């Protein structure tokens, strides 16, 4: 290699400098003239050459560990003296020099107070000077600070801590008392996402869910058939299992298979949640990522969200899945789990972290039409939930309705309210009014509730939907919704006339906004 050092004459190379001599330069019985070399070679260069060539010799062993630059001349003179003494050499030529010896003798200032602070023992200054002098170091100065010059053969001494280590060695480690260091306790740093996970996990268990842990590696065939995540999948080039060749872009497949296994063994009450990562290809400006690129990831490697790289993005997710028959206790009979069990769990999670103004938009990517919701807060998508479509259920061999939700904990953390407002218990009574309206089935109850609050303002304390009905005497394409509106003022008791006037105004406004009408005659519920 170009970095290897070669020693050569006019006829060609004769040795690899500092590592191995050549055959042509060997000394034998017929040798008359000897070229004596005394040198200093860079330890790094000799080490690299020796490792690359796989050659190890006494020469490389010494030069790798650095020889004393000042010893080059002394070693040469000593060798000449021994040759003249024992071989009766006739002639010794003059010395030829090449290069400059890198003689560096570090000058170090040592504070004696640092010796006591670091070693934990008081050593007299006279003893410290004696120890260093006995090691061949030049010591000068008096008082609390001394100056030390290290000889060239002690290239390892470059800073005060090196001298303190030598002092401890000569003084005797056994003479240094064992003491505990003075460590002031500091407030532990809590990772916000871990704290959020812990709180969410406790809340999910309290809602009756059991935690599941599924594989991060999934079959790509599931998502191929669903047509999801085509452009941002993270595939493994070298999977240990050919079927598990995809880093999961969603927690759906693992939880859906868990439901299937539970149903096969007769477990009908299934309420599972999982907290885990999903992996999606991220496109960061300035990177050379191309669509469809597969990532050469080991199945056990951990990708991180590193800006400016083509590593996939890991996003911490919370997923729910429900199916079968649920039972809330011995006082209530079993009933099929419904969409509203899932909706209630999602809303409880969001409300627990201060998510009040949540925007909901219909989504039917994997959900049944009309029973899939995409959630967002302040324009940020936070997740989705709904009833899995028949196509998805067939893919996972699920013969009964399954309800699924997936929320981003990272987005939840960024939007979670830090403080909660505590309100005083109302001093004035509530005036409840029930309202049943017939409206287009596409109108959401949430929109109606929002319009009521907008119309009545602060005089509405609470609104609840307590009944829903379709069919029977209700015209096709219509539905009946029943609301219980709690009217209440903060500063006075509302009179019946005032409440009735406001209530009828609300009805008129809902008629104008949504075409909602009061039922005619008796409506079957």
């Amino acid at each position: 290699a170009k970095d290897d050092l070669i020693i050569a004459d006019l006829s060609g190379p004769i040795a690899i400098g500092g590592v191995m001599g050549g055959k042509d330069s060997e000394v034998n019985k017929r040798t008359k003239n000897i070229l004596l070399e005394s040198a200093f070679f860079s330890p790094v260069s000799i080490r690299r050459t020796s490792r690359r060539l796989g050659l190890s010799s006494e020469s490389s062993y010494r030069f790798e560990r650095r020889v004393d630059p000042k010893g080059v001349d002394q070693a040469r003179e000593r060798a000449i003296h021994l040759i003249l003494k024992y071989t009766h050499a006739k002639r010794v030529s003059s010395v030829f020099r090449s290069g400059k010896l890198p003689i560096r003798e570090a000058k170090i200032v040592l504070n004696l107070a640092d010796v006591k602070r670091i070693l934990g023992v008081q050593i007299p200054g006279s003893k410290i000077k004696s120890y260093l002098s006995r090691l061949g170091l030049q010591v000068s100065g008096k008082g609390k600070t001394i100056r030390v010059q290290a000889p060239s053969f002690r290239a390892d001494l470059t800073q005060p801590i090196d001298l303190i280590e030598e002092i401890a060695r000569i003084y005797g480690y056994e003479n240094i008392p064992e003491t505990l260091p003075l460590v002031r306790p500091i407030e532990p740093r809590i990772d916000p996402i871990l704290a959020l996970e812990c709180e969410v996990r406790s809340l999910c268990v309290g809602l009756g869910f059991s935690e599941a842990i599924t594989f991060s590696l999934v079959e790509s065939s599931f998502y191929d058939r669903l047509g999801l995540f085509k452009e941002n999948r993270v595939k493994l080039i070298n999977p240990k299992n050919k079927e598990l060749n995809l880093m999961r872009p969603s927690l759906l497949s693992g939880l859906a298979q868990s439901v299937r296994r539970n149903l096969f063994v007769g477990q009908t009450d299934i309420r599972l949640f999982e907290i885990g990562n999903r992996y999606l290809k991220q496109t960061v400006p300035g990177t050379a990522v191309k669509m469809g690129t597969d990532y050469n990831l080991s199945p056990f490697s951990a990708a991180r969200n590193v800006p400016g790289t083509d590593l996939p993005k890991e996003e911490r997710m919370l997923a729910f899945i429900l199916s079968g028959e649920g039972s809330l206790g011995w006082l209530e009979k079993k009933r099929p789990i419904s969409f509203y069990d899932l909706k209630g769990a999602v809303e409880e999670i969001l409300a627990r972290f201060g998510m009040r103004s949540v925007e909901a938009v219909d989504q039917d990517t994997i959900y049944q039409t009309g029973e899939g919701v995409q959630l967002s807060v302040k324009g940020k998508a936070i997740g989705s939930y709904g009833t899995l479509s028949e196509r998805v259920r067939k893919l996972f061999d699920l013969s009964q309705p399954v309800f699924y939700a997936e929320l981003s904990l990272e987005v939840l953390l960024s939007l979670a309210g830090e403080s909660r407002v505590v309100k005083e218990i109302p001093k004035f009574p509530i005036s409840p009014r029930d309202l049943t309206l017939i409206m287009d089935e596409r109108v959401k109850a949430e929109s109606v509730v929002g319009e009521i609050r907008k119309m009545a303002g602060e005089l509405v304390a609470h609104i609840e939907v307590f009944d829903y009905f379709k069919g029977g005497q209700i015209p096709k394409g219509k539905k009946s919704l029943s609301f219980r509106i709690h009217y209440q003022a903060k500063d006075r008791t509302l009179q019946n006339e005032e409440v009735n006037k406001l209530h009828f105004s609300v009805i008129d406004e809902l008629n104008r906004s949504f075409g909602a009408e009061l039922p005619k005659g008796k409506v079957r519920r």
Side-chain angles (χ1 to χ4, degrees):
K2 64 179 182 179
D3 295 331
D4 293 341
L5 181 62
I6 298 296
I7 299 174
D9 58 13
L10 295 177
S11 62
I14 60 173
I16 301 175
V19 178
M20 188 69 68
K23 185 175 181 180
D24 295 338
S25 61
E26 289 182 348
V27 176
N28 52 43
K29 294 180 179 179
R30 295 176 297 175
T31 300
K32 293 182 179 180
N33 300 319
I34 294 178
L35 176 64
L36 189 64
E37 176 193 57
S38 182
F40 174 91
F41 297 117
S42 169
V44 175
S45 175
I46 300 301
R47 188 180 302 113
R48 288 175 178 171
T49 300
S50 176
R51 297 295 183 274
R52 189 181 67 80
L53 299 177
L55 294 175
S56 180
S57 63
E58 291 186 9
S59 175
S60 66
Y61 182 88
R62 287 178 172 82
F63 284 118
E64 283 179 7
R65 289 156 179 77
R66 190 182 185 275
V67 298
D68 179 14
K70 275 191 173 181
V72 171
D73 291 331
Q74 298 175 6
R76 183 194 65 247
E77 295 301 324
R78 176 62 175 168
I80 292 174
H81 170 73
L82 294 176
I83 291 174
L84 291 175
K85 181 177 180 180
Y86 293 106
T87 66
H88 305 292
K90 294 181 178 179
R91 180 176 175 274
V92 178
S93 69
S94 57
V95 176
F96 297 92
R97 294 180 181 273
S98 177
K100 186 177 180 181
L101 292 172
I103 299 176
R104 298 187 184 90
E105 296 181 332
K107 295 181 180 179
I108 308 169
V109 177
L110 177 63
N111 191 329
L112 299 183
D114 290 341
V115 178
K116 179 181 178 182
R117 179 178 60 83
I118 294 174
L119 299 184
V121 62
Q122 181 69 51
I123 303 177
S126 58
K127 278 193 174 184
I128 292 176
K129 293 179 181 179
S130 174
Y131 294 158
L132 298 177
S133 298
R134 285 155 54 186
L135 292 173
L137 281 62
Q138 297 180 17
V139 183
S140 60
K142 296 181 180 180
K144 298 181 180 179
T145 303
I146 60 175
R147 291 178 292 278
V148 180
Q149 181 172 331
S152 61
F153 64 86
R154 290 302 305 269
D156 57 317
L157 303 179
T158 60
Q159 51 189 340
I161 193 65
D162 299 327
L163 299 178
I164 295 175
E165 183 180 351
E166 294 298 308
I167 293 169
R169 183 170 61 86
I170 303 301
Y171 180 75
Y173 294 124
E174 70 280 3
N175 296 323
I176 299 176
E178 296 179 359
T179 57
L180 293 175
L182 179 61
V183 179
R184 291 184 175 87
I186 60 175
E187 183 178 354
R189 180 184 176 276
I190 300 175
D191 189 337
I193 192 69
L194 293 180
L196 178 67
E197 285 182 26
C198 184
E199 194 166 356
V200 167
R201 186 174 284 109
S202 298
L203 186 55
C204 291
V205 172
L207 291 172
F209 290 85
S210 298
E211 184 171 10
I213 300 176
T214 62
F215 288 117
S216 296
L217 301 178
V218 297
E219 296 182 39
S220 61
S221 60
F222 291 143
Y223 298 98
D224 289 336
R225 296 175 187 175
L226 293 174
L228 299 176
F229 309 105
K230 289 183 178 180
E231 296 181 345
N232 52 0
R233 296 181 190 177
V234 181
K235 286 187 177 181
L236 298 178
I237 292 178
N238 56 341
K240 292 188 178 296
N241 185 327
K242 291 184 179 180
E243 292 183 352
L244 304 179
N245 61 346
L246 182 70
M247 301 293 287
R248 63 183 178 192
S250 167
L251 278 61
L252 172 61
S253 59
L255 288 175
Q257 292 180 74
S258 297
V259 171
R260 181 179 62 186
R261 286 192 291 269
N262 276 272
L263 292 176
F264 282 176
V265 296
Q267 178 61 41
T268 60
D269 183 12
I270 303 171
R271 297 169 181 259
L272 301 177
F273 80 94
E274 181 177 8
I275 297 175
N277 289 348
R278 73 170 179 176
Y279 305 84
L280 297 174
K281 181 169 61 178
Q282 59 180 346
T283 53
V284 182
T287 61
V289 182
K290 295 182 180 180
M291 288 298 182
T293 301
D294 289 344
Y295 293 88
N296 187 11
L297 294 175
S298 163
F300 303 101
S301 67
R304 293 179 173 82
N305 301 329
V306 183
T309 69
D310 60 353
L311 291 177
K313 177 185 178 182
E314 294 185 17
E315 187 174 9
R316 205 68 174 159
M317 306 297 291
L318 166 67
F320 299 101
I321 198 161
L322 299 86
S323 185
E325 294 182 342
S327 176
L328 300 179
W330 62 275
L331 289 174
E332 184 176 348
K333 294 181 180 180
K334 284 190 175 183
R335 60 171 176 80
I337 292 176
S338 70
F339 168 83
Y340 296 100
D341 290 302
L342 176 67
K343 183 175 184 289
V346 172
E347 290 182 349
E348 183 66 25
I349 293 289
L350 297 179
R352 178 65 180 80
F353 296 100
M355 302 290 143
R356 300 296 179 186
S357 56
V358 180
E359 300 173 6
V361 180
D362 289 343
Q363 187 201 63
D364 56 2
T365 305
I366 61 172
Y367 303 114
Q368 189 165 319
T369 302
E371 294 190 14
V373 179
Q374 176 71 43
L375 300 174
S376 62
V377 177
K378 298 180 180 179
K380 291 186 178 181
I382 198 170
S384 63
Y385 69 90
T387 306
L388 291 181
S389 66
E390 185 176 355
R391 178 188 175 197
V392 176
R393 290 194 289 109
K394 285 183 178 180
L395 180 62
F396 292 102
D397 197 14
L398 303 173
S399 58
Q400 61 188 39
V402 178
F403 309 94
Y404 179 74
E406 191 166 0
L407 305 175
S408 171
L409 289 181
E410 295 182 13
V411 177
L412 183 63
L413 178 63
S414 67
L415 298 173
E418 296 182 357
S419 59
R420 299 190 179 100
V421 179
V422 179
K423 295 182 180 180
E424 184 181 2
I425 296 176
K427 298 179 180 178
F428 300 96
I430 293 175
S431 298
R433 294 290 187 276
D434 289 348
L435 175 61
T436 299
L437 296 170
I438 298 175
M439 62 191 74
D440 192 289
E441 63 180 355
R442 292 173 296 180
V443 177
K444 294 182 179 180
E446 183 181 16
S447 302
V448 178
V449 170
E451 192 64 30
I452 295 174
R453 289 191 178 279
K454 181 180 176 181
M455 181 65 189
E458 295 183 354
L459 294 181
V460 173
H462 180 63
I463 304 173
E464 61 179 300
V465 181
F466 68 88
D467 194 15
Y468 165 77
F469 182 73
K470 283 177 65 177
Q473 298 181 17
I474 305 298
K476 187 176 181 180
K478 299 285 186 176
K479 65 180 177 181
S480 170
L481 284 178
S482 296
F483 302 88
R484 180 161 293 144
I485 307 173
H486 298 265
Y487 295 100
Q488 185 179 42
K490 297 179 180 179
D491 56 351
R492 68 188 189 281
T493 299
L494 294 176
Q495 301 299 319
N496 283 335
E497 294 79 6
E498 183 180 4
V499 174
N500 292 337
K501 182 179 179 180
L502 178 59
H503 189 65
F504 290 129
S505 298
V506 168
I507 295 174
D508 293 339
E509 183 61 33
L510 294 178
N511 178 262
R512 285 191 295 269
S513 300
F514 304 106
E517 298 178 349
L518 293 173
K520 296 178 181 179
K522 186 178 180 181
V523 179
R524 180 184 173 187
R525 282 178 171 72

